[in-house]
Amino acid sequence: MRALVTGAGRRLGFYLCEQLVAAGWQVTGQYRSERPELGRLRALGVELIQADFTRPEEVAALAHATARHEDLGLIIHNASAFEPLAEDPAEQLAQFDRFYRVHMAAPFQLNQVLAPRLACNANASIIQITDIYIHGPAPRFANYVATKAGAHSLAMSLARQLAPAVRVNTIEPGPILFLDEHDEAWRQQVLARTPLAREGGLEPIWQAVQLLLGNHYMTGASIKVDGGRSLAII
C-alpha cells in the first residue's frame, strides 16, 4: 500500500516517511523547498514531489500525480506553517491567507481528488495533524490556531462524509519537539506546565499513527499526544 505524507521535508513529516518505509509502505512525500536531507528519503525509495501549498495549481499537480497510484491507502496531512501573529495589521490578513491555504485549502483540495482513490482500497485512512492549542487558542498565535482548528473541523466533516469507505482521524501534538528558536527559558516554562515534564520526541506521534491504522473501528477521533500539556491550557 502507498501513503502520501505532506510536509515531508523536515521534522515530523520526514520522520513519518522513514517509519512508513520501514513498516513496508510505499511512500509519496510532498515538500516545499529542496533540502540536502531529502536525499536520504530518495535513497529509501520515497517518491518526492515539490509543491508550494500556497499555490493551488501546485496542489492540483500533486493530487493528480498521487492519484496515479492505485494502491493509495493513507494520507497524512502534516504540512504546516507556524509563526506568531504579525504585528502589522496590514500583514495579518496576508498571513491568515497563507496559513489557511496550507492548513485548510490544500488538504481540502487533495481530499477532493484523492478520496475516490482511497475508497477503492480496504481500510483506507486520512490522518490530519492539528494541535492541542485548537482547544485553548492563544491570541499571539491567532492565525495559526484558527486555521488548525478549521482543519480539525474539516476532518470531522470528512469522517462523516467518507464513512464507511475511508476513516478520518486527527492527531493533536503538544510539546513533542521544540523549534530551534525556542530558548531554554521558554522550554522550561512549557515543560513546567506539562504533567509529564519532558519533551515527547517524534516517536509518540508515530505510535498514534500506528494505533489509528491498526484500529479499524476508529473514525472521527482526535488523539492528544502532548504529555498532558492540554490540561494546563484548556
Side-chain angles (χ1 to χ4, degrees), residues 44-232:
L44 292 174
V46 175
E47 174 190 50
L48 291 174
I49 300 175
Q50 190 280 330
D52 183 339
F53 276 5
T54 66
R55 300 178 181 272
E57 66 276 13
E58 295 189 17
V59 180
L62 170 66
H64 289 293
T66 305
R68 294 184 292 105
H69 297 293
E70 295 183 358
D71 60 346
L72 183 68
L74 170 65
I75 301 174
I76 300 180
H77 292 297
N78 166 73
S80 187
F82 177 81
E83 62 189 25
L85 186 68
E87 294 185 7
D88 183 355
E91 296 294 326
Q92 290 176 2
L93 183 58
Q95 183 190 56
F96 180 87
D97 183 69
R98 184 169 71 255
F99 286 178
Y100 159 76
R101 292 189 180 280
V102 174
H103 298 152
M104 296 179 64
F108 180 87
Q109 192 175 352
L110 289 170
N111 291 338
Q112 272 194 319
V113 175
L114 297 176
R117 175 64 73 198
L118 287 169
C120 293
N121 292 303
N123 194 36
S125 287
I126 296 173
I127 298 174
Q128 180 82 50
I129 307 296
T130 61
D131 196 294
I132 58 169
Y133 282 93
I134 65 174
H135 304 292
R140 182 169 176 244
F141 300 103
N143 282 344
Y144 167 80
V145 176
T147 52
K148 281 287 191 176
H152 169 83
S153 183
L154 283 172
M156 295 301 103
S157 295
L158 199 65
R160 297 182 66 180
Q161 177 186 341
L162 298 184
V166 180
R167 298 184 298 109
V168 184
N169 297 287
T170 73
I171 296 173
E172 302 174 9
I176 58 168
L177 189 66
F178 288 113
L179 298 171
D180 292 342
E181 56 262 36
H182 289 147
D183 61 25
E184 186 60 25
W186 171 259
R187 297 178 189 212
Q188 292 307 315
Q189 177 184 335
V190 169
L191 295 180
R193 300 189 66 199
T194 301
L196 295 187
R198 63 181 184 272
E199 191 177 21
L202 299 177
E203 184 180 5
I205 302 298
W206 169 238
Q207 291 171 334
V209 169
Q210 290 177 294
L211 169 63
L212 292 174
L213 294 178
N215 190 321
H216 297 187
Y217 203 59
M218 292 182 72
T219 197
S222 297
I223 301 178
K224 292 180 176 66
V225 184
D226 66 348
R229 170 69 175 161
S230 56
L231 297 173

Side-chain angles (χ1 to χ4, degrees), residues 30-45:
Q30 172 272 338
Y31 69 98
R32 184 173 66 90
S33 302
E34 185 64 43
R35 302 165 61 87
E37 297 90 335
L38 290 174
R40 287 168 48 195
L41 293 183
R42 292 188 176 100
L44 292 174

